Amino acid sequence: MISINIEKKLKGYAGAGTLKVQHTFAAGSVTIIHGPSGAGKTTCLKIIAGLVNVEKGTVKAGNTIWLDTQQRINLLPQQRRVGFVFQDYALFPNMSVIEHLQYATEDDEWINRLLHLGKLETFLSHKPAHLSGGQQQRLAILRALAIKPAVIIMDEPFSALDRNIKADLIENLKQIFAELKATVLIVSHNTDELVGISNQQLYIAGV
């Protein structure tokens, strides 16, 4: 379970103001987060992961406090161990497909399963510059899953995928999420395609 109650000053597409979000994500749930561009969806995800600071707020994972500005508690991203899929992928340009996964885990069996999931078995030595946009996006997803995280955060993770690959990946991810018993947060502008995988929704209207 992830509980958040945060306030963050924003200045972006939706104008200047304060993002305020209070929500509890049930343990093992898959939540689709949606709303207008510039509303603060990505910022909200990064706050949960510890990548962006806030003026005021709390983030709790079960009984563990990740963030409490009043108590001056703010765990580092490494301590939170969130599997994060960035919208721009944030891949390492000098690392191959296999190196991205080996950097995250030494479990060869899990790595092989992830490679099969992402259909990247034949691209092991390829670096990001030699992968298509869809392949890069799939690699970003696999890297996030490699640490077997209890919390998975995905920012527009399927935007570069064609329909068939997307549908197959989403179906397989449903099983992976269940096995990991992970709490999953997905930002998406296309909620319809994720109806079969999600069981909660959170709308962020903006500031």
Side-chain angles (χ1 to χ4, degrees):
M1 179 183 73
I2 300 292
S3 297
I4 64 172
N5 186 0
I6 55 174
E7 293 184 13
K8 172 68 177 176
K9 292 181 181 178
L10 292 180
K11 185 176 181 180
Y13 299 115
T18 301
L19 170 69
K20 297 181 180 180
V21 182
Q22 182 174 2
H23 191 78
T24 296
F25 303 93
S29 64
V30 179
T31 302
I32 306 306
I33 300 174
H34 57 110
S37 295
K41 302 182 297 297
T42 295
T43 299
C44 181
L45 297 186
K46 289 184 175 180
I47 290 169
I48 294 170
L51 300 171
V52 169
N53 293 322
V54 297
E55 283 73 23
K56 178 182 177 182
T58 59
V59 177
K60 297 180 181 179
N63 295 321
T64 302
I65 298 174
W66 283 0
L67 170 72
D68 189 322
T69 53
Q70 190 170 8
Q71 298 186 55
R72 296 185 178 180
I73 297 172
N74 189 5
L75 297 189
L76 296 172
Q78 306 93 291
Q79 295 172 300
R80 304 187 193 196
R81 285 185 60 78
V82 171
F84 203 113
V85 181
F86 293 88
Q87 192 172 29
D88 62 358
Y89 317 147
L91 299 173
F92 302 118
N94 296 322
M95 292 175 62
S96 66
V97 167
I98 190 66
E99 287 170 340
H100 273 85
L101 301 184
Q102 290 175 336
Y103 183 77
T105 181
E106 296 178 352
D107 187 338
D108 290 337
E109 184 176 348
W110 182 237
I111 287 174
N112 289 334
R113 185 175 175 192
L114 291 177
L115 289 168
H116 179 71
L117 171 71
K119 302 185 187 310
L120 293 175
E121 306 102 310
T122 60
F123 299 91
L124 300 186
S125 63
H126 287 55
K127 295 179 180 178
H130 297 100
L131 298 173
S132 69
Q135 290 167 337
Q136 290 182 34
Q137 191 163 54
R138 299 202 301 274
L139 177 57
I141 293 171
L142 303 188
R143 182 182 61 181
L145 296 174
I147 61 172
K148 295 186 177 180
V151 178
I152 301 170
I153 293 178
M154 313 175 82
D155 193 358
E156 295 286 357
F158 310 116
S159 58
L161 306 182
D162 65 45
R163 176 184 289 183
N164 291 335
I165 290 179
K166 183 187 302 183
D168 184 56
L169 180 60
I170 289 173
E171 186 62 30
N172 285 304
L173 282 174
K174 186 191 303 185
Q175 181 179 345
I176 295 288
F177 294 161
E179 288 180 22
L180 295 177
K181 298 179 181 178
T183 302
V184 184
L185 286 58
I186 306 175
V187 164
S188 177
H189 285 96
N190 190 345
T191 57
D192 292 341
E193 68 185 12
L194 300 176
V195 169
I197 198 174
S198 65
N199 46 36
Q200 287 189 20
Q201 291 197 21
L202 170 62
Y203 181 79
I204 297 180
V207 296

